[in-house]
């Protein structure tokens, strides 16, 4: 189920499982990464744990604790949805659809490149 959890954080999912605050354990810790003194002195990184499933999310995307709390809850909700629904989850289906679109786009780009090469070769033959 680990690859499923990596599909989380896709925006347009509507039919997600609801989380109750009683099932959540929240901590505020110092973030890591670049930022120097601003990062080293403030506890604005949110660590959110869903107790029944054991899923932990760490969010330090902004300097605001409130925004990080909101983002962490969104990410956790999507991961919990994936955990319980698996391949039936909207998040998983959305991820699969976007992968398919990406592959199709790559295929079309490759075809266009081949056509351009063929066209240039034809032009070279016409010049000779």
């Amino acid at each position: 189920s680990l690859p499923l959890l990596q599909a989380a954080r896709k925006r347009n999912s509507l039919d997600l499982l609801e989380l109750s605050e009683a099932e959540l354990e929240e901590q505020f810790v110092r973030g890591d990464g670049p930022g120097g003194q601003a990062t080293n002195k403030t506890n604005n990184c949110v660590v959110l744990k869903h107790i029944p499933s054991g899923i932990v999310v760490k969010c330090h995307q902004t300097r605001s604790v409130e925004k990080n709390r909101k983002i962490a809850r969104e990410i956790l909700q999507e991961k919990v949805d994936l955990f319980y629904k698996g391949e039936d989850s909207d998040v998983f289906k959305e991820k699969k659809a976007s992968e398919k679109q990406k592959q199709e786009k790559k295929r079309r780009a490759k075809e266009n490149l081949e056509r351009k090469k063929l066209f240039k070769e034809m032009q070279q033959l016409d010049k000779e």
Side-chain angles (χ1 to χ4, degrees), residues 112-123:
N112 283 339
L113 191 64
E114 289 295 323
R115 269 191 242 128
K116 285 179 183 178
K117 282 182 183 177
L118 190 62
F119 183 70
K120 282 186 178 181
E121 288 174 5
M122 296 295 273
Q123 281 183 328

Side-chain angles (χ1 to χ4, degrees), residues 59-82:
C59 180
H60 187 228
Q61 292 182 11
T62 69
R63 291 171 69 177
S64 164
V65 176
E66 289 305 313
K67 285 182 185 174
N68 285 336
R69 289 180 78 205
K70 184 176 184 272
I71 294 168
R73 277 170 172 68
E74 289 171 1
I75 296 170
L76 184 66
Q77 186 177 23
E78 291 175 3
K79 286 194 178 207
V80 168
D81 191 69
L82 275 169

Side-chain angles (χ1 to χ4, degrees), residues 39-62:
T39 301
N40 297 337
K41 282 189 148 186
T42 58
N43 292 336
N44 56 6
C45 180
V46 177
V47 177
L48 203 56
K49 180 178 181 180
H50 184 250
I51 298 168
S53 65
I55 297 173
V56 177
V57 170
K58 189 175 180 182
C59 180
H60 187 228
Q61 292 182 11
T62 69

